[in-house]
Amino acid sequence: MRLLHTSDWHLGRSFHRVNMLGAQAGFIGHLVRTVREREVDAVVVSGDVYDRAVPPLAAVELFDDALHRLADLGVPTVMISGNHDSARRLGVGAGLIGRAGIHLRTDPSAAGTPVVLADSHGDIAFYGLPYLEPALVKDEFGVEKAGHEAVLAAAMDRVRADLATRAPGTRSVVLAHAFVTGGEPSDSERDITVGGVASVPAGVFDGVDYVALGHLHGSQTLTERVRYSGSPLPYSFSESGHRKTMWLVDLDAAGAVTAERIDCPVPRALARISGTLEDLLADPALAPHEDAWVEATLTDTVRPADPMARLTDRFPHTLSLVFAPERAPDDPEASYALRLAGRSDQEIAEDFVAHVRGAGPDDRERRVLRDAFDSVRADAAVKEVAR
């Protein structure tokens, strides 16, 4: 069976101030052409279909168009909800839509109930594990402590238990939306840290033939059987080095995997340039970036006059301007942003405690801070689900 693995469409999201809806529509057209021209047997979409729980109407219309075009091809599609989606909203009408071959898996309780497709070698069971917010699903999976590894492990236990009841030789595909250890994040993904831990080990998924991951925006191979497709479009300048692709995966009669990357159309190249303003305006080596979307970091010790206007004379698609004078992070004149760069909320809070009382928190106090941050995240997740 030939699968097309994609994820993280983030329909409705913009890139800085650029509306990406046209580029997202272009990607949907490319997806449909790829399915038709490469004779794909099934499409898997591993979460974050939308960028937010209540997407704009134009994004909903584009999703509706995508569903109709995929259904018209007669090629089954399996989708899960991600941490940006409202699982309940995305899953509305799932039973009816499923009759058209579009299988939406948004209910954690159905983790062990697969979509079963077949090829000439027998059945393939597709298990959809929507994003599992630990605080919201720990009771469903009977785990004592809310954590990503615990709830995903419990969901995979259900998958393996169901798979054990099926005919010998039944192959298996799992769709999941998670941060798996070994994956390389970007600035675009929403933080999902719980209890100080964001990632889960790849071994959680042992026992299945292919794991189609979503959440991280870079296309990555963790093992031959565990892969991220990445987002089809860039959503932050931290993705400037990404090659935006989908995975074309062939699953043979024995469940062996071969995979090929299919490039996605990107509306404009990304470039991150750094230096003094005068150097950026004069450097001939930067000529290839003159038509790119640009993030410029200025290292001038004194902020120059009218930097954006002068930059856009040469780089008309400059979208982001960062000031980072060449100073040490502990320099008292260093910017607040520079001093905080790369630090987590927990680390910033611990530094604040040390600043106001002269000594940092002890282990008990660190746990209190961590629990407080987890509680805020969980509360935000509950409110988003209820919207």
Side-chain angles (χ1 to χ4, degrees):
M1 181 172 283
R2 173 164 286 183
L3 315 175
L4 188 63
H5 167 199
T6 177
S7 73
D8 295 273
W9 295 357
H10 288 279
L11 300 182
R13 186 166 182 164
S14 60
F15 181 75
H16 290 262
R17 59 180 179 272
V18 176
N19 186 316
M20 294 291 277
L21 201 66
Q24 291 169 341
F27 161 70
I28 296 299
H30 170 69
L31 170 72
V32 171
R33 286 191 299 275
T34 301
V35 170
R36 183 175 58 247
E37 293 170 4
R38 299 302 300 267
E39 299 181 334
V40 170
D41 298 306
V43 176
V44 294
V45 185
S46 299
D48 282 352
V49 173
Y50 291 122
D51 188 56
R52 55 182 185 266
V54 184
L57 179 59
V60 177
E61 290 173 340
L62 180 55
F63 180 58
D64 181 65
D65 177 64
L67 295 185
H68 278 85
R69 295 172 74 178
L70 288 168
D72 287 345
L73 291 174
V75 174
T77 299
V78 184
M79 295 184 173
I80 61 171
S81 49
N83 62 302
H84 280 249
D85 299 309
S86 166
R88 292 176 64 184
R89 280 186 170 83
L90 188 64
V92 168
L96 186 61
I97 295 171
R99 298 181 186 179
I102 309 292
H103 306 280
L104 298 173
R105 290 295 185 262
T106 64
D107 183 358
S109 68
T113 304
V115 176
V116 180
L117 305 177
D119 62 11
S120 58
H121 303 293
D123 287 347
I124 302 178
F126 289 77
Y127 297 90
L129 310 186
Y131 172 67
L132 303 175
E133 175 61 47
L136 302 184
V137 302
K138 66 183 182 69
D139 292 338
E140 166 63 34
F141 291 106
V143 298
E144 293 183 5
K145 187 175 181 181
H148 290 294
E149 183 174 354
V151 297
L152 262 175
M156 282 302 301
D157 285 344
R158 293 189 185 184
V159 168
R160 285 184 283 264
D162 179 84
L163 195 55
T165 68
R166 299 191 175 272
T170 298
R171 290 155 290 163
S172 54
V173 174
V174 165
L175 290 73
H177 196 88
F179 185 176
V180 178
T181 304
E184 182 65 34
S186 70
D187 294 341
S188 304
E189 301 98 14
R190 184 181 295 169
D191 181 32
I192 59 172
T193 301
V194 174
V197 179
S199 64
V200 300
V204 164
F205 299 104
D206 286 352
V208 297
D209 294 307
Y210 185 70
V211 181
L213 292 175
H215 181 56
L216 300 185
H217 286 191
S219 178
Q220 301 171 61
T221 301
L222 304 186
T223 74
E224 283 304 303
R225 297 185 183 276
V226 181
R227 300 172 188 262
Y228 281 101
S229 68
S231 62
L233 293 164
Y235 293 113
S236 73
F237 277 102
S238 65
E239 300 173 53
S240 60
H242 289 185
R243 175 185 164 197
K244 294 301 183 182
T245 60
M246 303 177 285
W247 283 112
L248 190 70
V249 177
D250 286 316
L251 202 61
D252 74 9
V257 170
T258 57
E260 172 189 351
R261 290 177 73 180
I262 304 295
D263 288 293
C264 296
V266 177
R268 195 177 295 278
L270 305 186
R272 293 179 119 173
I273 60 178
S274 179
T276 66
L277 179 59
E278 295 302 327
D279 286 346
L280 297 183
L281 295 177
D283 189 350
L286 299 180
H289 303 317
E290 290 175 357
D291 194 45
W293 281 326
V294 168
E295 178 184 72
T297 299
L298 299 186
T299 60
D300 303 73
T301 54
V302 177
R303 184 175 299 213
D306 299 321
M308 181 61 89
R310 295 168 68 188
L311 275 169
T312 53
D313 281 343
R314 183 179 185 189
F315 306 101
H317 304 289
T318 301
L319 300 181
S320 176
L321 186 57
V322 179
F323 292 96
E326 292 180 338
R327 297 188 178 104
D330 57 355
D331 187 320
E333 295 194 19
S335 71
Y336 183 67
L338 180 62
R339 295 198 301 272
L340 297 187
R343 302 185 68 74
S344 68
D345 291 342
Q346 176 87 15
E347 291 169 329
I348 294 168
E350 291 178 12
D351 287 349
F352 176 76
V353 171
H355 174 73
V356 297
R357 80 174 183 196
D362 59 26
D363 288 344
R364 183 189 64 81
E365 292 167 330
R366 288 190 182 93
R367 287 194 298 272
V368 169
L369 286 170
R370 187 166 57 243
D371 289 346
F373 282 118
D374 289 349
S375 178
V376 169
R377 277 195 66 261
D379 184 60
V382 169
K383 289 178 179 176
E384 187 160 293
V385 168
R387 289 176 66 188

